[in-house]
Amino acid sequence: MSNQRIVPILASSTSSAPQSLSPAILTYLSSIASNKLPLPYDQVQELHSYLSTTSKPQDVHTQKPSHETPLDLHQLLQYITSGQGDAMIPLEEQDLSYPLSNYFINSSHNTYLTGNQLYSESSTDAYKNALLRACRCIEIDVWDGESKSSSTEDNEEGEEKKHRFRPHFPHSFRKHSSSKDEQTAKTSAAAESLSLPTPWMSASTAARAEPRVLHGYTLTKEVPFRDVCIAIRDAAFVTSDLPIIVSLEVHAGREQQEIMVEIMEQAWKGLLVRPAVDEDEQLPSPAELLRKILVKVKYVAPEKVTAKVAKATKPSVQRKKSASSSSSSENQGAESKVKTKKSSIIGPLSAMGVYTRSYHFKDLSSPEATVPCHIFSLSEKKLMTVHESHGPSLFSHNRNYMMRAFPSGTRVSSSNLDPAVFWRKGVQIVALNFQKYDAGVMLNAGMFAGSAGWVLKPKGYRGNRQGQHAAVSEESQSDAIIHRTLSLSIEFLAAQDLPLPTGDRKPKGFNPYVKCELHVESFEERTGEAIEGGGKSKDGEYKHKTKTHRGTEPDFGSEAVHFSDVPGVVDSFSFVRFKVQDDEIGTDDLAAWACIRLDRLKCGYRFIHLLDAEGEVSRGMLLVKVKKSLS
């Protein structure tokens, strides 16, 4: 066979379709066409069905489909290089009529960061990139526009503050003059007494200081809150009309919260969800919220807001009168301190949380746990604790009500939890650090591939279709869906156009091998026992790898890996992950990868299209033969 590439006549010019084939791959396809490597019978039928809909009648062979009949190489090339030859089954059209709690939502944690959690840059581009990649839940950490000692008092959103490290260092350490401090205190006290925002002014200019976005208690760089809101507006509905959820973690003071509301109302005009009469009775469906932005923010009851305002304007301690001027001064100082105390979340900001009210999690039997529009946000560690103590109740809750899981704050390198563990608990929003392409992000790609960021849960995981009030039951995830035994074999034939690891430029020094990992549910997940690793992202429970080869177009010689009699498998929550790595001394760098949900993995001879180490679509692909059975 010649070493020249051949250019097949493609049925369509899709981005994933190869424009030419390597000699090794063409050799295998020629053997398939001549029946030296016969197509499985089901795939022969698929081939003829494809040709009957894409070719002219006179061009289609009229013989009865058979795995013994030689195939026309030209027609085989048309078929195998089309979408039909892809190893991943296209996602079925989603039914968008269920309440919001019946979907898994593609979600980002600390979306603004471009790298690690300690000192990386914040960027509006991070929001654009996430939204353009079908992320539908993004996070904004909001802080005061100027650093003031009182600005972050009592203004964290519950549990996530525990996962911070150290105060954010302001850009300027200049001290204001005492006269300016006195004037600011008087202005603040007066504004508080009228429940009005303080007119914040920058220390160096006459411009109003506006909230900023950054990772608090770290050295991460900031970005203006207004710029973030505009970036979200511009990218929110470019690739999908499905709703997005903006998760606010508010560390700003009351004055800056007023400005936040103003900015969001301006930037997202016409996109925000407005309160509905039945908001407290049921959740709407995604179909009812097309091209809408939902704000997830801490909920404060209106009467609680009123009480806080009253408390902030009334001294809590009455002192006895004194002839001493110093005593009088002390009394006035105490009153001033009471008046200027910040409230947690102001009413207008809390009111923006329509259908997505964030409540502090106490336990699953609290009154808040049956409010239709509540969302509990729990760290991975806290969720594992609830799994061990109230596993069935946790699963039952998540069939009808919303929950969000987020990575531990100790993940300073932007590593991730294992999202599949939490999806299997029914958690709708599993927020991941998109800054790093580790196992967690790869599994996330497998779950949401080809979707618009909302994926309907399997039947056993869905709740009341009408979204009505539902009590927490004791039904567990082991009862909700059938678990089966899996046998899977994957035969690697050849590859082409493999991308090099990030920073590498010399293909001759590239020594690739393929690591194949199977991610499935563990026994402990179903029984409520402690899960190994505590839900941390890790290698698959079963893994094999090929021999090492050389160059970007290796011939694997039909080397096969086998996963035999794997118990307790739910194919819609199991994943096959392929990693192409460079065999080196020390750490083997990642070159390319793909992740396919098991129920979407096609049998037969297929192409696996690869992403590079940065998560970008590449021309790289693997030719494989897949055999799969579930019993």
Side-chain angles (χ1 to χ4, degrees):
M1 178 68 65
S2 168
N3 287 328
Q4 295 294 318
R5 289 283 190 100
I6 76 150
V7 180
I9 300 175
L10 303 178
S12 63
S13 57
T14 60
S15 59
S16 61
Q19 300 303 305
S20 62
L21 296 174
S22 70
I25 285 180
L26 185 59
T27 297
Y28 282 110
L29 294 178
S30 298
S31 297
I32 292 170
S34 65
N35 269 329
K36 291 180 182 177
L37 296 172
L39 281 180
Y41 183 71
D42 288 348
Q43 194 171 11
V44 173
Q45 292 182 310
E46 181 183 273
L47 166 63
H48 280 263
S49 176
Y50 166 80
L51 294 174
S52 68
T53 59
T54 59
S55 303
K56 297 178 181 179
Q58 63 269 26
D59 294 334
V60 181
H61 287 210
T62 57
Q63 67 266 31
K64 184 178 180 180
S66 170
H67 65 283
E68 298 177 355
T69 306
L71 303 171
D72 182 274
L73 178 59
H74 176 76
Q75 291 181 342
L76 176 64
L77 291 177
Q78 275 192 313
Y79 159 77
I80 202 74
T81 57
S82 73
Q84 292 290 320
D86 198 319
M88 185 184 296
I89 299 171
L91 190 68
E92 294 181 359
E93 186 175 352
Q94 298 289 287
D95 182 347
L96 299 174
S97 64
Y98 286 84
L100 300 177
S101 56
N102 290 275
Y103 299 84
F104 296 119
I105 305 168
N106 193 357
S107 307
S108 165
H109 177 250
N110 288 353
T111 312
Y112 49 88
L113 292 180
T114 59
N116 66 60
Q117 306 286 308
L118 286 180
Y119 51 83
S120 66
E121 300 283 342
S122 299
S123 171
T124 57
D125 286 340
Y127 287 94
K128 294 177 183 178
N129 292 337
L131 291 167
L132 294 176
R133 294 189 180 199
C135 179
R136 296 282 95 185
C137 181
I138 52 181
E139 184 180 24
I140 312 178
D141 285 11
V142 191
W143 296 77
D144 283 332
E146 286 189 347
S147 178
K148 295 193 175 185
S149 59
S150 61
S151 63
T152 57
E153 261 184 39
D154 243 352
N155 291 294
E156 72 284 346
E157 184 172 344
E159 196 169 88
E160 291 204 43
K161 187 179 186 205
K162 299 174 185 177
H163 301 271
R164 306 300 182 185
F165 292 92
R166 55 189 179 187
H168 176 77
F169 291 97
H171 288 303
S172 173
F173 290 95
R174 291 176 296 176
K175 293 184 178 179
H176 300 285
S177 66
S178 58
S179 59
K180 180 176 285 188
D181 282 347
E182 291 171 4
Q183 182 62 39
T184 300
K186 290 178 182 178
T187 305
S188 298
E192 287 287 348
S193 66
L194 296 173
S195 299
L196 295 175
T198 302
W200 279 59
M201 306 297 288
S202 169
S204 57
T205 70
R208 178 182 72 175
E210 292 191 346
R212 53 189 176 156
V213 177
L214 57 102
H215 194 200
Y217 302 95
T218 70
L219 295 173
T220 56
K221 308 303 186 293
E222 65 189 55
V223 65
F225 178 71
R226 182 182 293 275
D227 292 357
V228 168
C229 291
I230 292 172
I232 291 170
R233 177 199 66 195
D234 292 344
F237 304 109
V238 173
T239 61
S240 170
D241 287 341
L242 292 184
I244 69 168
I245 299 172
V246 175
S247 180
L248 294 179
E249 187 179 334
V250 182
H251 301 266
R254 296 184 69 215
E255 301 86 356
Q256 293 278 279
Q257 289 180 43
E258 293 278 1
I259 298 174
M260 286 174 61
V261 173
E262 175 189 315
I263 290 172
M264 287 187 285
E265 292 280 3
Q266 291 174 353
W268 301 338
K269 185 177 182 180
L271 301 175
L272 288 166
V273 178
R274 297 304 177 186
V277 176
D278 61 349
E279 180 188 355
D280 291 328
E281 298 176 8
Q282 62 180 16
L283 287 173
S285 68
E288 296 174 285
L289 298 173
L290 297 180
R291 298 187 66 82
K292 290 297 181 183
I293 295 176
L294 294 154
V295 177
K296 173 190 165 293
V297 64
K298 184 177 180 181
Y299 178 68
V300 180
E303 59 270 19
K304 191 173 181 181
V305 173
T306 304
K308 285 189 175 183
V309 172
K311 185 177 180 181
T313 58
K314 181 179 180 181
S316 59
V317 178
Q318 295 293 331
R319 294 177 179 265
K320 293 182 178 180
K321 291 183 179 180
S322 169
S324 166
S325 60
S326 62
S327 297
S328 175
S329 176
E330 273 184 23
N331 189 42
Q332 291 175 0
E335 290 184 16
S336 177
K337 286 182 180 179
V338 173
K339 289 179 182 179
T340 58
K341 184 178 180 180
K342 310 292 185 180
S343 69
S344 180
I345 297 293
I346 63 171
L349 180 56
S350 176
M352 297 185 79
V354 182
Y355 302 124
T356 47
R357 299 177 184 170
S358 180
Y359 285 83
H360 175 68
F361 177 78
K362 300 182 183 73
D363 56 62
L364 293 169
S365 61
S366 65
E368 297 88 353
T370 54
V371 174
C373 55
H374 82 270
I375 295 183
F376 288 142
S377 283
L378 282 76
S379 69
E380 55 182 293
K381 185 176 181 181
K382 179 64 176 178
L383 248 166
M384 288 296 94
T385 301
V386 178
H387 153 74
E388 293 175 33
S389 59
H390 298 91
S393 297
L394 173 63
F395 178 79
S396 178
H397 169 276
N398 294 339
R399 294 177 70 179
N400 292 286
Y401 307 108
M402 301 285 281
M403 185 171 282
R404 173 177 175 265
F406 60 88
S408 167
T410 59
R411 296 183 176 279
V412 295
S413 66
S414 293
S415 61
N416 281 295
L417 48 76
D418 181 347
V421 170
F422 300 91
W423 290 326
R424 290 191 281 261
K425 297 293 172 194
V427 177
Q428 297 86 356
I429 302 174
V430 182
L432 297 178
N433 293 314
F434 282 5
Q435 301 86 2
K436 186 172 185 177
Y437 279 92
D438 58 8
V441 170
M442 293 180 189
L443 294 181
N444 195 70
M447 172 61 84
F448 294 101
S451 77
W454 291 71
V455 171
L456 184 63
K457 292 181 179 181
K459 286 184 179 180
Y461 277 65
R462 299 175 201 165
N464 190 318
R465 190 181 180 95
Q466 285 72 42
Q468 296 170 348
H469 174 90
V472 175
S473 72
E474 291 301 310
E475 183 180 21
S476 68
Q477 70 185 74
S478 61
D479 305 321
I481 203 163
I482 297 174
H483 293 72
R484 297 187 285 180
T485 298
L486 168 71
S487 289
L488 174 68
S489 69
I490 300 173
E491 187 177 328
F492 293 90
L493 283 73
Q496 72 172 49
D497 296 322
L498 294 179
L500 300 176
T502 302
D504 284 8
R505 296 288 183 269
K506 298 179 180 179
K508 289 184 179 179
F510 183 42
N511 300 303
Y513 65 88
V514 180
K515 188 174 183 180
C516 185
E517 300 180 0
L518 179 64
H519 295 256
V520 296
E521 183 178 352
S522 67
F523 177 76
E524 291 77 14
E525 290 182 53
R526 298 192 295 276
T527 60
E529 298 176 43
I531 298 172
E532 183 181 357
K536 295 179 181 177
S537 177
K538 60 185 186 305
D539 287 351
E541 287 73 13
Y542 303 86
K543 48 186 173 286
H544 298 286
K545 67 177 185 179
T546 68
K547 296 176 182 178
T548 299
H549 296 267
R550 185 178 294 275
T552 59
E553 298 187 345
D555 182 342
F556 294 106
S558 298
E559 185 176 354
V561 298
H562 302 279
F563 303 94
S564 302
D565 300 323
V566 180
V569 172
V570 176
D571 58 356
S572 54
F573 288 113
S574 301
F575 299 85
V576 185
R577 189 159 62 113
F578 303 88
K579 295 193 296 180
V580 179
Q581 294 182 263
D582 189 7
D583 194 349
E584 301 177 299
I585 297 174
T587 302
D588 294 344
D589 291 337
L590 177 69
W593 61 275
C595 186
I596 303 176
R597 209 171 72 187
L598 186 60
D599 63 334
R600 297 179 62 187
L601 180 63
K602 286 184 182 178
C603 292
Y605 290 96
R606 308 288 177 182
F607 280 125
I608 296 174
H609 295 277
L610 300 169
L611 301 176
D612 65 19
E614 302 297 323
E616 300 292 337
V617 174
S618 78
R619 294 187 302 166
M621 59 185 189
L622 305 170
L623 178 61
V624 300
K625 182 182 181 183
V626 178
K627 292 181 181 179
K628 177 179 68 172
S629 68
L630 287 159
S631 57

